Amino acid sequence: RRCAGCHGEKGDGQGPAPLAVLFEIAQPRDFTSGVFKFRTTPTGSVPLDSDIYRTVTVGIRGTAMPPWFNLPEDDRWDVIHYIKTFSPDFKQFPPEPPIMIPRPPKPSAELIAKGKKVFEDMKCWECHGNEGKGDGPKSDTLEDDFGNRIPPANFTLGIFKSGPRAEDIFRTFMTGLSGTPMPSFSDSFTSPD
């Protein structure tokens, strides 16, 4: 009743919702692929049930995916178990253990300056732009694994799809966003960076 309009009866992301109007920024997730952006598990792993629960509950900011916190908890868990039936990956490849997310340090001028250097060294600006506006030199060329244009996040809007907390942003750095050009940086820099 609530999901098929966008995600389709088969869970393939091909629901009857008017795509041109609703999904200018992000296409509905194709559950049959087993690829999920927002998870605490490493790149290449299916998400934990709790990862899908978080997405269903809080939605995805800046997209047509609304929060469903108003649904009874049992209904949310039921739909999560149903979503997992669309891809054989959940049976064939159990989720890997979640990454550890440390408590973030208190912001300081020194840490912000170090963060700017990491942003430059890791070439985040190539997609997100020097000022974080999502207008880097590669921004117009990015596509997801399904061939859909996917713009990089514009940080100046304050909309972080996976959540605005430091822990949410850290999770995105360390796991990447599967199915998109946003890679995992877990092997590229240390937790403090």
Side-chain angles (χ1 to χ4, degrees):
R1 285 190 320 263
R2 301 178 191 264
C3 309
C6 296
H7 295 286
E9 293 288 333
K10 298 176 183 176
D12 58 4
Q14 299 297 314
L19 296 179
V21 174
L22 293 176
F23 308 113
E24 293 178 1
I25 294 177
Q27 299 293 317
R29 180 62 28 202
D30 173 356
F31 299 129
T32 65
S33 71
V35 177
F36 289 77
K37 294 179 188 176
F38 309 115
R39 32 171 236 299
T40 58
T41 56
T43 299
S45 175
V46 295
L48 299 172
D49 291 359
S50 57
D51 295 330
I52 303 171
Y53 183 86
R54 182 182 60 251
T55 300
V56 169
T57 301
V58 302
I60 303 174
R61 294 162 183 83
T63 73
M65 175 62 186
W68 292 105
F69 58 83
N70 59 332
L71 286 178
E73 188 173 340
D74 287 346
D75 288 355
R76 285 179 272 162
W77 283 114
D78 289 345
V79 79
I80 288 159
H81 295 304
Y82 183 62
I83 287 169
K84 290 170 51 179
T85 68
F86 290 119
S87 172
D89 289 0
F90 285 97
K91 285 186 180 177
Q92 293 175 344
F93 310 105
E96 293 180 34
I99 63 161
M100 296 305 299
I101 300 176
R103 173 169 283 177
K106 293 195 185 297
S108 68
E110 179 184 346
L111 286 178
I112 291 170
K114 185 176 180 184
K116 180 179 181 184
K117 176 138 178 46
V118 172
F119 186 89
E120 292 166 357
D121 291 347
M122 291 293 127
K123 298 186 178 183
C124 303
W125 55 270
E126 287 184 345
C127 298
H128 297 286
N130 288 321
E131 296 178 8
K133 294 181 179 178
D135 60 354
K138 291 185 176 182
S139 63
D140 289 336
T141 65
L142 302 176
E143 293 183 347
D144 66 14
D145 288 358
F146 308 102
N148 303 305
R149 184 181 178 299
I150 186 165
N154 177 345
F155 303 131
T156 66
L157 299 176
I159 299 172
F160 295 87
K161 291 181 182 177
S162 189
R165 300 175 314 137
E167 295 90 333
D168 300 324
I169 298 166
F170 178 89
R171 182 180 66 244
T172 299
F173 285 145
M174 301 309 277
T175 65
L177 297 177
S178 291
T180 78
M182 176 64 187
S184 164
F185 287 96
S186 62
D187 294 333
S188 302
F189 57 68
T190 65
S191 290
D193 284 346

